[in-house]
Amino acid sequence: MAMNFGQLQEAFDQYTAAGEQVDAVQLALWFNEALLDLAYDLGGVETLSLQVAAGEEMPLPEDCLRVVGCDLPCSRLPDGGLRFSAGGSGMLYYRATPSLFSGTESGESSGLAEPLQHLPALFAASRYWDLESEGEGEQSNQAAKWMSYYYQAKNLARLRLDSAAGDAERWQVEKG
């Protein structure tokens, strides 16, 4: 089941016991920072159908965070767009900007894949403890601990995704 903003807020409170000390807008900023970090590596891949001529330049879609691949030979332009060295039709594959939280509605959802949905609360806990530490050792250690939890879970998810979705060298279809 998808976690919404209110459920992430509850998880954050369980990790920090911060209660009302952190307002929802600040919490949304921390959650959104995590969502963007996760989307670069683990976000869903969007596709865009292309029909281009050789030498044609194209800006990236507005919601593009990172190009994953393209069926046509192309190079990146200084402004981030693409220049195609050959014409034809193909597909552009990219990771898109996730739905971000406003902090004003507890029912908002991020659209993250279900195994990743708990991670923004870990990230926010780290940010909270970092803010609270003011240079004090114990709370700085808490911040580092929660960020470590976040990166361990993110890296484990990336490893599992990479092993489950490895490159297919050949497909074989059997008649049934």
Side-chain angles (χ1 to χ4, degrees), residues 46-50 58 60-61 67 69-70 82 90-94:
E46 301 291 326
T47 58
L48 177 65
S49 181
L50 303 172
M58 180 190 92
L60 292 176
V67 173
C70 186
L82 301 175
M91 299 295 284
L92 175 69
Y93 304 93
Y94 66 95

Side-chain angles (χ1 to χ4, degrees), residues 108-131:
E108 288 178 310
S109 178
S110 68
L112 277 177
E114 194 166 331
L116 305 173
Q117 290 184 11
H118 68 288
L119 295 177
L122 295 174
F123 187 94
S126 174
R127 290 293 192 243
Y128 169 78
W129 289 115
D130 185 52
L131 185 67

